[in-house]
């Protein structure tokens, strides 16, 4: 890609695989989760080589320096050639945090209220005691 061509912030962040979709990248820009050189940036702002981005995505925080411009989404092995990842190690490890309990509405196995099968076996056991 030539250096005279302009690339939008949302398209650049999507093409280097920070966001899964371009609309997610645009939404992040609009909600202030993307900062270019320390200031919040709109999705349509052009990217230049040497720009520094701070991006807070769903998965993690990124600190990126632009080394090349790219407008099409490519394989990860190719995409990493267009930026330098300056993210501190503690922010790279942030996705490792997993809550101990997920509130999914489903009962955890063998904990809490018995299943129908459990209830039948308990009732069968209790009835057996009464007959003796």
């Amino acid at each position: 890609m030539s250096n005279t061509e302009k690339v939008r912030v949302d398209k650049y962040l999507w093409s280097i695989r920070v966001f899964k979709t371009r609309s997610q990248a645009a939404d992040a820009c609009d909600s202030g989760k993307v900062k270019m050189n320390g200031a919040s940036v709109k999705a349509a702002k052009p990217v230049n080589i040497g720009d520094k981005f701070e991006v807070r995505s769903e998965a993690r925080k990124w600190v990126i320096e632009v080394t090349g411009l790219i407008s099409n989404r490519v394989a990860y092995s190719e995409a990493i050639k267009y930026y330098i990842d300056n993210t501190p190690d503690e922010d790279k490890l942030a996705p490792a945090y997993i809550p101990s309990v997920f509130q999914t509405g489903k009962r955890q196995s063998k904990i809490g209220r018995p299943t129908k099968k459990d209830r039948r076996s308990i009732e069968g056991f209790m009835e057996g005691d009464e007959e003796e």
Side-chain angles (χ1 to χ4, degrees):
M1 179 174 192
S2 66
N3 289 340
T4 59
E5 197 171 334
K6 300 286 184 192
V7 180
R8 293 168 49 114
V9 170
D10 60 344
K11 195 168 186 179
Y12 177 79
L13 293 175
W14 164 75
S15 63
I16 64 168
R17 297 181 168 266
V18 173
F19 292 98
K20 285 185 179 180
T21 66
R22 190 167 163 195
S23 62
Q24 283 179 343
D27 291 343
C29 291
D30 294 339
S31 63
K33 293 182 178 176
V34 178
K35 294 182 187 276
M36 178 169 29
N37 300 325
S40 292
V41 66
K42 301 267 184 176
K45 179 114 170 125
V47 176
N48 297 310
I49 293 175
D51 286 341
K52 292 178 174 58
F53 287 98
E54 290 180 33
V55 182
R56 286 183 290 124
S57 68
E58 296 293 324
R60 62 176 266 202
K61 182 179 176 186
W62 299 77
V63 179
I64 294 171
E65 184 176 344
V66 179
T67 58
L69 300 178
I70 182 173
S71 62
N72 295 334
R73 194 166 172 99
V74 293
Y76 175 76
S77 58
E78 287 293 313
I80 60 175
K81 298 175 184 174
Y82 292 92
Y83 67 92
I84 299 171
D85 191 353
N86 296 324
T87 308
D89 288 337
E90 63 268 10
D91 290 330
K92 288 181 181 177
L93 299 175
Y97 169 73
I98 298 172
S100 60
V101 176
F102 289 102
Q103 298 298 332
T104 60
K106 293 185 178 178
R107 182 180 75 85
Q108 290 181 339
S109 178
K110 299 179 181 63
I111 298 174
R113 188 174 174 182
T115 63
K116 194 171 187 178
K117 183 178 178 184
D118 293 339
R119 184 181 54 81
R120 286 186 178 142
S121 66
I122 290 170
E123 285 177 358
F125 176 75
M126 297 300 281
E127 289 173 4
D129 282 345
E130 293 174 5
E131 294 175 3
E132 291 179 9

